[in-house]
mmCIF file of all heavy atoms in Angstrom:
data_model
loop_
_atom_site.group_PDB
_atom_site.id
_atom_site.type_symbol
_atom_site.label_atom_id
_atom_site.label_comp_id
_atom_site.label_asym_id
_atom_site.label_seq_id
_atom_site.Cartn_x
_atom_site.Cartn_y
_atom_site.Cartn_z
ATOM 1 N N LEU A 1 -86.718 153.557 16.445
ATOM 2 C CA LEU A 1 -86.641 153.936 15.039
ATOM 3 C C LEU A 1 -87.466 155.182 14.781
ATOM 4 O O LEU A 1 -88.508 155.414 15.404
ATOM 5 C CB LEU A 1 -87.201 152.804 14.165
ATOM 6 C CG LEU A 1 -86.562 151.417 14.338
ATOM 7 C CD1 LEU A 1 -87.223 150.436 13.407
ATOM 8 C CD2 LEU A 1 -85.054 151.440 14.132
ATOM 9 N N ILE A 2 -86.991 156.011 13.867
ATOM 10 C CA ILE A 2 -87.769 157.147 13.353
ATOM 11 C C ILE A 2 -87.895 156.969 11.860
ATOM 12 O O ILE A 2 -86.974 156.513 11.195
ATOM 13 C CB ILE A 2 -87.130 158.493 13.723
ATOM 14 C CG1 ILE A 2 -85.723 158.629 13.145
ATOM 15 C CG2 ILE A 2 -87.107 158.663 15.247
ATOM 16 C CD1 ILE A 2 -85.123 160.042 13.352
ATOM 17 N N GLU A 3 -89.063 157.374 11.316
ATOM 18 C CA GLU A 3 -89.375 157.076 9.914
ATOM 19 C C GLU A 3 -89.801 158.340 9.165
ATOM 20 O O GLU A 3 -90.823 158.920 9.547
ATOM 21 C CB GLU A 3 -90.435 156.041 9.826
ATOM 22 C CG GLU A 3 -90.869 155.678 8.395
ATOM 23 C CD GLU A 3 -92.109 154.806 8.338
ATOM 24 O OE1 GLU A 3 -92.873 154.766 9.337
ATOM 25 O OE2 GLU A 3 -92.298 154.172 7.295
ATOM 26 N N PRO A 4 -89.128 158.687 8.108
ATOM 27 C CA PRO A 4 -89.664 159.737 7.211
ATOM 28 C C PRO A 4 -90.879 159.194 6.471
ATOM 29 O O PRO A 4 -90.872 158.091 5.933
ATOM 30 C CB PRO A 4 -88.523 159.984 6.232
ATOM 31 C CG PRO A 4 -87.284 159.480 6.912
ATOM 32 C CD PRO A 4 -87.760 158.304 7.711
ATOM 33 N N ILE A 5 -91.989 159.986 6.452
ATOM 34 C CA ILE A 5 -93.261 159.565 5.881
ATOM 35 C C ILE A 5 -93.684 160.609 4.839
ATOM 36 O O ILE A 5 -93.583 161.816 5.110
ATOM 37 C CB ILE A 5 -94.324 159.404 6.960
ATOM 38 C CG1 ILE A 5 -93.905 158.285 7.925
ATOM 39 C CG2 ILE A 5 -95.698 159.101 6.363
ATOM 40 C CD1 ILE A 5 -94.845 158.080 9.097
ATOM 41 N N ASN A 6 -94.187 160.155 3.729
ATOM 42 C CA ASN A 6 -94.529 161.104 2.670
ATOM 43 C C ASN A 6 -95.755 161.940 3.041
ATOM 44 O O ASN A 6 -96.661 161.499 3.735
ATOM 45 C CB ASN A 6 -94.728 160.371 1.326
ATOM 46 C CG ASN A 6 -96.094 159.753 1.196
ATOM 47 O OD1 ASN A 6 -97.087 160.418 0.891
ATOM 48 N ND2 ASN A 6 -96.165 158.410 1.360
ATOM 49 N N GLY A 7 -95.781 163.159 2.527
ATOM 50 C CA GLY A 7 -96.829 164.113 2.856
ATOM 51 C C GLY A 7 -98.153 163.894 2.143
ATOM 52 O O GLY A 7 -99.128 164.514 2.492
ATOM 53 N N ARG A 8 -98.133 163.023 1.152
ATOM 54 C CA ARG A 8 -99.401 162.680 0.479
ATOM 55 C C ARG A 8 -100.258 161.772 1.363
ATOM 56 O O ARG A 8 -101.448 161.966 1.509
ATOM 57 C CB ARG A 8 -99.112 162.011 -0.860
ATOM 58 C CG ARG A 8 -100.362 161.748 -1.696
ATOM 59 C CD ARG A 8 -99.988 161.076 -3.019
ATOM 60 N NE ARG A 8 -99.556 159.699 -2.810
ATOM 61 C CZ ARG A 8 -98.850 158.997 -3.734
ATOM 62 N NH1 ARG A 8 -98.441 159.586 -4.810
ATOM 63 N NH2 ARG A 8 -98.533 157.756 -3.497
ATOM 64 N N ASP A 9 -99.631 160.736 1.908
ATOM 65 C CA ASP A 9 -100.335 159.811 2.766
ATOM 66 C C ASP A 9 -100.587 160.377 4.162
ATOM 67 O O ASP A 9 -101.585 160.031 4.803
ATOM 68 C CB ASP A 9 -99.555 158.485 2.908
ATOM 69 C CG ASP A 9 -99.605 157.637 1.672
ATOM 70 O OD1 ASP A 9 -100.197 158.082 0.661
ATOM 71 O OD2 ASP A 9 -99.073 156.523 1.701
ATOM 72 N N MET A 10 -99.675 161.214 4.628
ATOM 73 C CA MET A 10 -99.785 161.749 6.002
ATOM 74 C C MET A 10 -99.403 163.235 5.970
ATOM 75 O O MET A 10 -98.322 163.632 6.363
ATOM 76 C CB MET A 10 -98.875 160.962 6.959
ATOM 77 C CG MET A 10 -99.245 161.105 8.393
ATOM 78 S SD MET A 10 -98.301 160.000 9.496
ATOM 79 C CE MET A 10 -99.026 158.407 9.060
ATOM 80 N N PRO A 11 -100.319 164.082 5.502
ATOM 81 C CA PRO A 11 -100.023 165.510 5.433
ATOM 82 C C PRO A 11 -99.623 166.130 6.761
ATOM 83 O O PRO A 11 -100.270 165.831 7.781
ATOM 84 C CB PRO A 11 -101.349 166.123 4.910
ATOM 85 C CG PRO A 11 -102.046 164.986 4.258
ATOM 86 C CD PRO A 11 -101.685 163.744 5.027
ATOM 87 N N GLY A 12 -98.580 166.898 6.771
ATOM 88 C CA GLY A 12 -98.167 167.589 7.977
ATOM 89 C C GLY A 12 -97.215 166.813 8.858
ATOM 90 O O GLY A 12 -96.810 167.312 9.909
ATOM 91 N N TYR A 13 -96.876 165.574 8.482
ATOM 92 C CA TYR A 13 -95.982 164.802 9.349
ATOM 93 C C TYR A 13 -94.641 165.510 9.480
ATOM 94 O O TYR A 13 -94.133 166.065 8.503
ATOM 95 C CB TYR A 13 -95.789 163.388 8.791
ATOM 96 C CG TYR A 13 -95.152 162.455 9.806
ATOM 97 C CD1 TYR A 13 -95.857 162.003 10.916
ATOM 98 C CD2 TYR A 13 -93.839 162.036 9.666
ATOM 99 C CE1 TYR A 13 -95.288 161.164 11.852
ATOM 100 C CE2 TYR A 13 -93.236 161.187 10.607
ATOM 101 C CZ TYR A 13 -93.979 160.781 11.692
ATOM 102 O OH TYR A 13 -93.399 159.957 12.629
ATOM 103 N N PHE A 14 -94.065 165.451 10.662
ATOM 104 C CA PHE A 14 -92.871 166.243 10.953
ATOM 105 C C PHE A 14 -91.674 165.860 10.124
ATOM 106 O O PHE A 14 -90.878 166.725 9.753
ATOM 107 C CB PHE A 14 -92.532 166.088 12.445
ATOM 108 C CG PHE A 14 -91.297 166.808 12.853
ATOM 109 C CD1 PHE A 14 -91.336 168.193 13.121
ATOM 110 C CD2 PHE A 14 -90.054 166.163 12.992
ATOM 111 C CE1 PHE A 14 -90.188 168.881 13.471
ATOM 112 C CE2 PHE A 14 -88.925 166.853 13.345
ATOM 113 C CZ PHE A 14 -88.978 168.215 13.587
ATOM 114 N N LEU A 15 -91.550 164.578 9.782
ATOM 115 C CA LEU A 15 -90.322 164.080 9.160
ATOM 116 C C LEU A 15 -90.635 163.533 7.802
ATOM 117 O O LEU A 15 -91.432 162.620 7.646
ATOM 118 C CB LEU A 15 -89.727 162.981 10.071
ATOM 119 C CG LEU A 15 -88.294 162.525 9.851
ATOM 120 C CD1 LEU A 15 -87.322 163.690 10.067
ATOM 121 C CD2 LEU A 15 -87.962 161.382 10.810
ATOM 122 N N HIS A 16 -89.947 164.067 6.754
ATOM 123 C CA HIS A 16 -90.242 163.643 5.392
ATOM 124 C C HIS A 16 -89.047 162.996 4.680
ATOM 125 O O HIS A 16 -89.240 162.081 3.898
ATOM 126 C CB HIS A 16 -90.638 164.879 4.539
ATOM 127 C CG HIS A 16 -91.978 165.443 4.884
ATOM 128 N ND1 HIS A 16 -93.135 164.763 4.674
ATOM 129 C CD2 HIS A 16 -92.306 166.641 5.424
ATOM 130 C CE1 HIS A 16 -94.179 165.517 5.049
ATOM 131 N NE2 HIS A 16 -93.685 166.658 5.512
ATOM 132 N N ARG A 17 -87.843 163.468 4.905
ATOM 133 C CA ARG A 17 -86.742 163.098 4.060
ATOM 134 C C ARG A 17 -85.670 162.292 4.819
ATOM 135 O O ARG A 17 -85.494 162.463 6.027
ATOM 136 C CB ARG A 17 -86.086 164.351 3.449
ATOM 137 C CG ARG A 17 -87.057 165.211 2.631
ATOM 138 C CD ARG A 17 -86.366 166.351 1.905
ATOM 139 N NE ARG A 17 -85.527 165.845 0.841
ATOM 140 C CZ ARG A 17 -85.972 165.590 -0.400
ATOM 141 N NH1 ARG A 17 -87.255 165.816 -0.728
ATOM 142 N NH2 ARG A 17 -85.149 165.127 -1.304
ATOM 143 N N GLN A 18 -84.985 161.412 4.085
ATOM 144 C CA GLN A 18 -84.004 160.575 4.688
ATOM 145 C C GLN A 18 -82.870 161.379 5.345
ATOM 146 O O GLN A 18 -82.427 161.053 6.457
ATOM 147 C CB GLN A 18 -83.414 159.613 3.649
ATOM 148 C CG GLN A 18 -84.446 158.705 2.969
ATOM 149 C CD GLN A 18 -85.235 157.879 3.961
ATOM 150 O OE1 GLN A 18 -84.658 157.210 4.830
ATOM 151 N NE2 GLN A 18 -86.541 157.879 3.830
ATOM 152 N N ALA A 19 -82.406 162.397 4.672
ATOM 153 C CA ALA A 19 -81.285 163.191 5.216
ATOM 154 C C ALA A 19 -81.676 163.824 6.549
ATOM 155 O O ALA A 19 -80.844 163.936 7.475
ATOM 156 C CB ALA A 19 -80.867 164.257 4.220
ATOM 157 N N GLU A 20 -82.933 164.251 6.667
ATOM 158 C CA GLU A 20 -83.395 164.842 7.921
ATOM 159 C C GLU A 20 -83.356 163.803 9.053
ATOM 160 O O GLU A 20 -82.923 164.112 10.160
ATOM 161 C CB GLU A 20 -84.830 165.353 7.767
ATOM 162 C CG GLU A 20 -84.984 166.504 6.763
ATOM 163 C CD GLU A 20 -86.416 166.826 6.470
ATOM 164 O OE1 GLU A 20 -87.288 165.971 6.740
ATOM 165 O OE2 GLU A 20 -86.688 167.911 5.921
ATOM 166 N N ALA A 21 -83.824 162.613 8.744
ATOM 167 C CA ALA A 21 -83.818 161.579 9.754
ATOM 168 C C ALA A 21 -82.402 161.203 10.195
ATOM 169 O O ALA A 21 -82.121 161.058 11.392
ATOM 170 C CB ALA A 21 -84.550 160.326 9.227
ATOM 171 N N HIS A 22 -81.506 161.064 9.235
ATOM 172 C CA HIS A 22 -80.130 160.723 9.566
ATOM 173 C C HIS A 22 -79.456 161.834 10.363
ATOM 174 O O HIS A 22 -78.652 161.569 11.268
ATOM 175 C CB HIS A 22 -79.337 160.383 8.301
ATOM 176 C CG HIS A 22 -79.638 158.999 7.785
ATOM 177 N ND1 HIS A 22 -78.914 157.885 8.138
ATOM 178 C CD2 HIS A 22 -80.627 158.574 6.959
ATOM 179 C CE1 HIS A 22 -79.413 156.835 7.561
ATOM 180 N NE2 HIS A 22 -80.456 157.225 6.821
ATOM 181 N N ALA A 23 -79.766 163.077 10.045
ATOM 182 C CA ALA A 23 -79.211 164.192 10.790
ATOM 183 C C ALA A 23 -79.670 164.164 12.235
ATOM 184 O O ALA A 23 -78.871 164.426 13.183
ATOM 185 C CB ALA A 23 -79.598 165.545 10.143
ATOM 186 N N ILE A 24 -80.928 163.854 12.465
ATOM 187 C CA ILE A 24 -81.462 163.756 13.841
ATOM 188 C C ILE A 24 -80.807 162.630 14.580
ATOM 189 O O ILE A 24 -80.400 162.780 15.749
ATOM 190 C CB ILE A 24 -83.004 163.618 13.768
ATOM 191 C CG1 ILE A 24 -83.621 164.954 13.390
ATOM 192 C CG2 ILE A 24 -83.544 163.142 15.122
ATOM 193 C CD1 ILE A 24 -85.090 164.863 13.057
ATOM 194 N N VAL A 25 -80.669 161.471 13.954
ATOM 195 C CA VAL A 25 -80.023 160.342 14.603
ATOM 196 C C VAL A 25 -78.594 160.711 15.008
ATOM 197 O O VAL A 25 -78.149 160.397 16.108
ATOM 198 C CB VAL A 25 -80.038 159.093 13.661
ATOM 199 C CG1 VAL A 25 -79.078 158.013 14.168
ATOM 200 C CG2 VAL A 25 -81.460 158.544 13.562
ATOM 201 N N GLN A 26 -77.853 161.369 14.115
ATOM 202 C CA GLN A 26 -76.500 161.745 14.429
ATOM 203 C C GLN A 26 -76.446 162.784 15.519
ATOM 204 O O GLN A 26 -75.543 162.752 16.379
ATOM 205 C CB GLN A 26 -75.797 162.249 13.174
ATOM 206 C CG GLN A 26 -75.526 161.135 12.154
ATOM 207 C CD GLN A 26 -74.894 161.674 10.877
ATOM 208 O OE1 GLN A 26 -75.542 162.339 10.085
ATOM 209 N NE2 GLN A 26 -73.628 161.361 10.686
ATOM 210 N N GLU A 27 -77.405 163.719 15.520
ATOM 211 C CA GLU A 27 -77.395 164.774 16.532
ATOM 212 C C GLU A 27 -77.714 164.212 17.913
ATOM 213 O O GLU A 27 -77.101 164.605 18.907
ATOM 214 C CB GLU A 27 -78.391 165.850 16.137
ATOM 215 C CG GLU A 27 -78.264 167.131 16.980
ATOM 216 C CD GLU A 27 -79.022 168.302 16.388
ATOM 217 O OE1 GLU A 27 -79.374 168.249 15.203
ATOM 218 O OE2 GLU A 27 -79.277 169.248 17.127
ATOM 219 N N VAL A 28 -78.653 163.304 17.977
ATOM 220 C CA VAL A 28 -78.961 162.654 19.272
ATOM 221 C C VAL A 28 -77.791 161.837 19.745
ATOM 222 O O VAL A 28 -77.418 161.862 20.924
ATOM 223 C CB VAL A 28 -80.247 161.809 19.181
ATOM 224 C CG1 VAL A 28 -80.456 161.011 20.462
ATOM 225 C CG2 VAL A 28 -81.447 162.702 18.897
ATOM 226 N N GLY A 29 -77.178 161.110 18.846
ATOM 227 C CA GLY A 29 -75.938 160.412 19.152
ATOM 228 C C GLY A 29 -76.111 159.108 19.934
ATOM 229 O O GLY A 29 -75.132 158.631 20.479
ATOM 230 N N ALA A 30 -77.312 158.588 20.001
ATOM 231 C CA ALA A 30 -77.528 157.325 20.732
ATOM 232 C C ALA A 30 -77.374 156.158 19.773
ATOM 233 O O ALA A 30 -78.021 156.146 18.721
ATOM 234 C CB ALA A 30 -78.929 157.317 21.351
ATOM 235 N N PRO A 31 -76.550 155.182 20.081
ATOM 236 C CA PRO A 31 -76.316 154.086 19.151
ATOM 237 C C PRO A 31 -77.539 153.220 18.861
ATOM 238 O O PRO A 31 -77.584 152.507 17.858
ATOM 239 C CB PRO A 31 -75.210 153.255 19.806
ATOM 240 C CG PRO A 31 -75.262 153.631 21.250
ATOM 241 C CD PRO A 31 -75.716 155.038 21.290
ATOM 242 N N ASN A 32 -78.530 153.307 19.730
ATOM 243 C CA ASN A 32 -79.763 152.496 19.543
ATOM 244 C C ASN A 32 -80.912 153.326 18.932
ATOM 245 O O ASN A 32 -82.058 152.867 18.969
ATOM 246 C CB ASN A 32 -80.200 151.838 20.826
ATOM 247 C CG ASN A 32 -80.610 152.839 21.893
ATOM 248 O OD1 ASN A 32 -80.048 153.901 22.017
ATOM 249 N ND2 ASN A 32 -81.625 152.480 22.672
ATOM 250 N N LEU A 33 -80.605 154.502 18.411
ATOM 251 C CA LEU A 33 -81.579 155.291 17.662
ATOM 252 C C LEU A 33 -81.250 155.155 16.184
ATOM 253 O O LEU A 33 -80.146 155.528 15.776
ATOM 254 C CB LEU A 33 -81.583 156.749 18.097
ATOM 255 C CG LEU A 33 -82.582 157.658 17.357
ATOM 256 C CD1 LEU A 33 -84.010 157.234 17.605
ATOM 257 C CD2 LEU A 33 -82.337 159.106 17.741
ATOM 258 N N LYS A 34 -82.205 154.650 15.384
ATOM 259 C CA LYS A 34 -81.917 154.363 13.979
ATOM 260 C C LYS A 34 -83.078 154.835 13.098
ATOM 261 O O LYS A 34 -84.106 155.249 13.571
ATOM 262 C CB LYS A 34 -81.666 152.875 13.800
ATOM 263 C CG LYS A 34 -80.432 152.399 14.598
ATOM 264 C CD LYS A 34 -80.104 150.947 14.356
ATOM 265 C CE LYS A 34 -78.828 150.538 15.102
ATOM 266 N NZ LYS A 34 -78.490 149.128 14.864
ATOM 267 N N VAL A 35 -82.835 154.690 11.809
ATOM 268 C CA VAL A 35 -83.802 155.140 10.810
ATOM 269 C C VAL A 35 -84.587 153.935 10.277
ATOM 270 O O VAL A 35 -83.997 152.877 10.016
ATOM 271 C CB VAL A 35 -83.118 155.866 9.631
ATOM 272 C CG1 VAL A 35 -84.140 156.221 8.544
ATOM 273 C CG2 VAL A 35 -82.410 157.122 10.135
ATOM 274 N N GLN A 36 -85.875 154.099 10.127
ATOM 275 C CA GLN A 36 -86.735 153.118 9.476
ATOM 276 C C GLN A 36 -86.931 153.610 8.054
ATOM 277 O O GLN A 36 -87.649 154.591 7.808
ATOM 278 C CB GLN A 36 -88.064 153.044 10.244
ATOM 279 C CG GLN A 36 -89.058 152.045 9.702
ATOM 280 C CD GLN A 36 -90.252 151.937 10.649
ATOM 281 O OE1 GLN A 36 -90.086 151.875 11.864
ATOM 282 N NE2 GLN A 36 -91.446 151.913 10.093
ATOM 283 N N LEU A 37 -86.341 152.937 7.111
ATOM 284 C CA LEU A 37 -86.350 153.329 5.692
ATOM 285 C C LEU A 37 -87.465 152.578 4.977
ATOM 286 O O LEU A 37 -87.336 151.389 4.648
ATOM 287 C CB LEU A 37 -85.010 153.059 5.038
ATOM 288 C CG LEU A 37 -84.894 153.214 3.505
ATOM 289 C CD1 LEU A 37 -85.435 154.540 3.033
ATOM 290 C CD2 LEU A 37 -83.440 153.006 3.070
ATOM 291 N N ASP A 38 -88.566 153.263 4.749
ATOM 292 C CA ASP A 38 -89.672 152.708 4.019
ATOM 293 C C ASP A 38 -89.479 153.138 2.548
ATOM 294 O O ASP A 38 -89.569 154.300 2.215
ATOM 295 C CB ASP A 38 -91.004 153.237 4.550
ATOM 296 C CG ASP A 38 -92.212 152.571 3.968
ATOM 297 O OD1 ASP A 38 -92.203 152.307 2.733
ATOM 298 O OD2 ASP A 38 -93.193 152.284 4.673
ATOM 299 N N LEU A 39 -89.237 152.145 1.694
ATOM 300 C CA LEU A 39 -88.929 152.441 0.292
ATOM 301 C C LEU A 39 -90.126 153.034 -0.434
ATOM 302 O O LEU A 39 -89.953 153.792 -1.404
ATOM 303 C CB LEU A 39 -88.422 151.182 -0.389
ATOM 304 C CG LEU A 39 -87.104 150.654 0.191
ATOM 305 C CD1 LEU A 39 -86.760 149.306 -0.430
ATOM 306 C CD2 LEU A 39 -85.940 151.632 -0.034
ATOM 307 N N TYR A 40 -91.331 152.706 0.016
ATOM 308 C CA TYR A 40 -92.543 153.328 -0.546
ATOM 309 C C TYR A 40 -92.548 154.820 -0.305
ATOM 310 O O TYR A 40 -92.696 155.620 -1.219
ATOM 311 C CB TYR A 40 -93.756 152.630 0.053
ATOM 312 C CG TYR A 40 -95.067 153.371 -0.136
ATOM 313 C CD1 TYR A 40 -95.755 153.268 -1.350
ATOM 314 C CD2 TYR A 40 -95.613 154.131 0.883
ATOM 315 C CE1 TYR A 40 -96.994 153.940 -1.544
ATOM 316 C CE2 TYR A 40 -96.821 154.792 0.715
ATOM 317 C CZ TYR A 40 -97.516 154.690 -0.503
ATOM 318 O OH TYR A 40 -98.682 155.355 -0.673
ATOM 319 N N HIS A 41 -92.386 155.225 0.955
ATOM 320 C CA HIS A 41 -92.383 156.671 1.293
ATOM 321 C C HIS A 41 -91.217 157.363 0.613
ATOM 322 O O HIS A 41 -91.366 158.461 0.085
ATOM 323 C CB HIS A 41 -92.283 156.839 2.788
ATOM 324 C CG HIS A 41 -93.522 156.416 3.536
ATOM 325 N ND1 HIS A 41 -94.766 156.922 3.257
ATOM 326 C CD2 HIS A 41 -93.676 155.560 4.587
ATOM 327 C CE1 HIS A 41 -95.656 156.381 4.091
ATOM 328 N NE2 HIS A 41 -95.009 155.521 4.879
ATOM 329 N N CYS A 42 -90.055 156.752 0.617
ATOM 330 C CA CYS A 42 -88.877 157.362 0.080
ATOM 331 C C CYS A 42 -89.008 157.592 -1.424
ATOM 332 O O CYS A 42 -88.628 158.650 -1.952
ATOM 333 C CB CYS A 42 -87.643 156.497 0.368
ATOM 334 S SG CYS A 42 -86.076 157.225 -0.135
ATOM 335 N N GLN A 43 -89.580 156.617 -2.156
ATOM 336 C CA GLN A 43 -89.757 156.791 -3.596
ATOM 337 C C GLN A 43 -90.701 157.945 -3.868
ATOM 338 O O GLN A 43 -90.455 158.745 -4.811
ATOM 339 C CB GLN A 43 -90.329 155.487 -4.177
ATOM 340 C CG GLN A 43 -90.747 155.588 -5.640
ATOM 341 C CD GLN A 43 -89.582 155.799 -6.605
ATOM 342 O OE1 GLN A 43 -88.419 155.718 -6.208
ATOM 343 N NE2 GLN A 43 -89.905 156.021 -7.858
ATOM 344 N N ILE A 44 -91.748 158.111 -3.090
ATOM 345 C CA ILE A 44 -92.689 159.188 -3.334
ATOM 346 C C ILE A 44 -92.069 160.552 -3.073
ATOM 347 O O ILE A 44 -92.261 161.519 -3.800
ATOM 348 C CB ILE A 44 -93.959 159.009 -2.493
ATOM 349 C CG1 ILE A 44 -94.748 157.775 -2.982
ATOM 350 C CG2 ILE A 44 -94.856 160.232 -2.508
ATOM 351 C CD1 ILE A 44 -95.876 157.341 -2.104
ATOM 352 N N VAL A 45 -91.271 160.650 -2.001
ATOM 353 C CA VAL A 45 -90.700 161.936 -1.606
ATOM 354 C C VAL A 45 -89.489 162.309 -2.429
ATOM 355 O O VAL A 45 -89.357 163.463 -2.882
ATOM 356 C CB VAL A 45 -90.356 161.932 -0.106
ATOM 357 C CG1 VAL A 45 -89.675 163.230 0.279
ATOM 358 C CG2 VAL A 45 -91.619 161.735 0.738
#
């Protein structure tokens, strides 16, 4: 799993937004690579 994390709690983290995470998952193309959707982080971002 890869997780977008908000920049307030973790400044500088590489991945912030859901669309970015889904684009990476699709680009890698591995069926066992998925997104961890944290509704707390997503609401803030």
Side-chain angles (χ1 to χ4, degrees):
L1 306 180
I2 60 173
E3 178 189 20
I5 297 176
N6 82 77
R8 185 180 72 199
D9 286 4
M10 200 172 289
Y13 194 71
F14 178 80
L15 195 61
H16 291 294
R17 303 187 69 87
Q18 301 304 311
E20 296 170 343
H22 283 268
I24 287 168
V25 166
Q26 290 178 288
E27 192 166 342
V28 172
N32 65 324
L33 179 64
K34 298 184 178 182
V35 176
Q36 181 173 317
L37 170 52
D38 188 320
L39 297 172
Y40 165 80
H41 291 304
C42 185
Q43 172 68 8
I44 292 171
V45 175

